[in-house]
Amino acid sequence: MIPIFLLGSAVYLGLQLAQQTLSHEKFMQEASARVKALEAEVDALQEKRETGTPVAAVETKKSSRWW
């Protein structure tokens, strides 16, 4: 008969592997959705640039003056 602790360890490790696999899959889906959103944003900004509509100005670092 298989000792109970070996059976318990095998079940625990199997469940842990399944949880890690599902967690990684969820992370990859979220990352893929984020990449698609960023690609859509880049496409929109490139389209704005090509059509000539002004894009929000980037703040320039002003030199600090004490007077």
Side-chain angles (χ1 to χ4, degrees):
M1 183 171 163
I2 299 176
I4 298 297
F5 73 92
L6 287 178
L7 183 60
S9 296
V11 170
Y12 173 77
L13 291 174
L15 290 174
Q16 188 177 21
L17 177 63
Q19 187 270 335
Q20 287 178 349
T21 302
L22 291 173
S23 176
H24 179 69
E25 184 177 339
K26 179 182 175 187
F27 173 78
M28 292 302 293
Q29 288 175 349
E30 291 172 352
S32 177
R34 178 75 175 135
V35 166
K36 287 180 183 179
L38 290 172
E39 286 175 343
E41 185 178 346
V42 167
D43 290 341
L45 289 172
Q46 286 177 341
E47 184 177 323
K48 278 185 179 181
R49 183 191 303 168
E50 289 172 359
T51 59
T53 56
V55 179
V58 177
E59 292 184 23
T60 58
K61 193 173 190 180
K62 296 181 180 179
S63 61
S64 61
R65 296 186 178 171
W66 57 274
W67 69 90

